[in-house]
Amino acid sequence: MNERRAARERRRAQEFELFVAGAGGRLLRAALLLTGEPGRAVGSGDGTDGDRGSEPCSRGSEAAERLLTAALARTYADWDRLRGEDPYVRTRQELTARFARSARRYRRPRGGVLDRLSPRERLVLVLRLHEGVPEEQTAAALGLSVERVRVICARAVSALRSRPAAPPTATPYRAAP
């Protein structure tokens, strides 16, 4: 009996590890966008990938990593009860719910891509554009009307479009000898 249980626990841990290896990067990127932290994308080729064990993806992403770790821990705790449910969707729901409950912590700019937006605007924008969740599902998850989600998303996109572009980095001009 104990051998079966140990084998089941090993299989469960292995399945979860494979899930995290496949979906961890995208979930971390979503968490970075939600928190507004200036993290680099996983797989960017700059040596800061999250594929090297427990090393952080980049500096300044502690809140996103804490948020994602808590969501993954909840998914792992419920792993046996998923019963055909997509673990990615479950983890994303947990991630967004945890962010929504603690959104007041992420009000001030942190230097990320979406740091100028309010936490609610970031949440709607990440769900709609980054994750591709339909308006109806986003509205139901956040307890808003579909029209309100549409307005928040449009406002967030226009705020990002009106943002002045960063000045190009100056490269010294070298004359040919």
Side-chain angles (χ1 to χ4, degrees):
M1 191 71 103
N2 286 337
E3 293 173 11
R4 278 194 221 161
R5 185 174 185 182
R8 188 171 50 234
E9 288 296 320
R10 280 193 305 271
R11 188 179 67 243
R12 175 184 187 219
Q14 186 179 25
E15 288 173 356
F16 185 75
E17 188 175 315
L18 289 172
F19 162 68
V20 172
R26 185 168 176 87
L27 287 166
L28 179 60
R29 185 65 184 156
L32 285 167
L33 289 171
L34 285 172
T35 59
E37 293 176 320
R40 292 187 181 98
V42 175
S44 60
D46 58 2
T48 58
D49 294 353
D51 302 333
R52 298 177 302 177
S54 62
E55 295 181 28
C57 177
S58 72
R59 291 189 159 186
S61 63
E62 295 86 13
E65 289 174 3
R66 277 195 312 270
L67 197 64
L68 179 58
T69 301
L72 286 171
R74 178 59 184 230
T75 302
Y76 183 70
D78 294 341
W79 192 258
D80 291 333
R81 291 174 284 213
L82 289 178
R83 305 264 191 247
E85 186 180 348
D86 186 5
Y88 183 85
V89 172
R90 171 72 73 94
T91 307
R92 183 182 63 212
Q93 288 172 344
E94 183 65 28
L95 181 71
T96 56
R98 284 182 180 275
F99 175 77
R101 284 193 300 266
S102 62
R104 66 183 181 284
R105 296 180 188 165
Y106 307 108
R107 285 182 118 6
R108 64 180 173 79
R110 296 173 182 249
V113 176
L114 304 179
D115 68 344
R116 288 188 46 201
L117 302 177
S118 72
R120 180 179 280 178
E121 289 172 334
R122 272 183 271 163
L123 185 56
V124 169
L125 199 68
V126 167
L127 285 174
R128 289 284 300 125
L129 301 181
H130 181 68
E131 292 293 322
V133 178
E135 287 178 344
E136 295 80 16
Q137 291 179 7
T138 302
L142 301 178
L144 301 171
S145 68
V146 176
E147 293 79 23
R148 186 72 182 139
V149 167
R150 193 174 298 127
V151 167
I152 291 171
C153 189
R155 185 183 333 135
V157 168
S158 68
L160 289 176
R161 285 184 178 161
S162 68
R163 176 185 223 168
T169 57
T171 56
Y173 176 76
R174 290 188 181 181

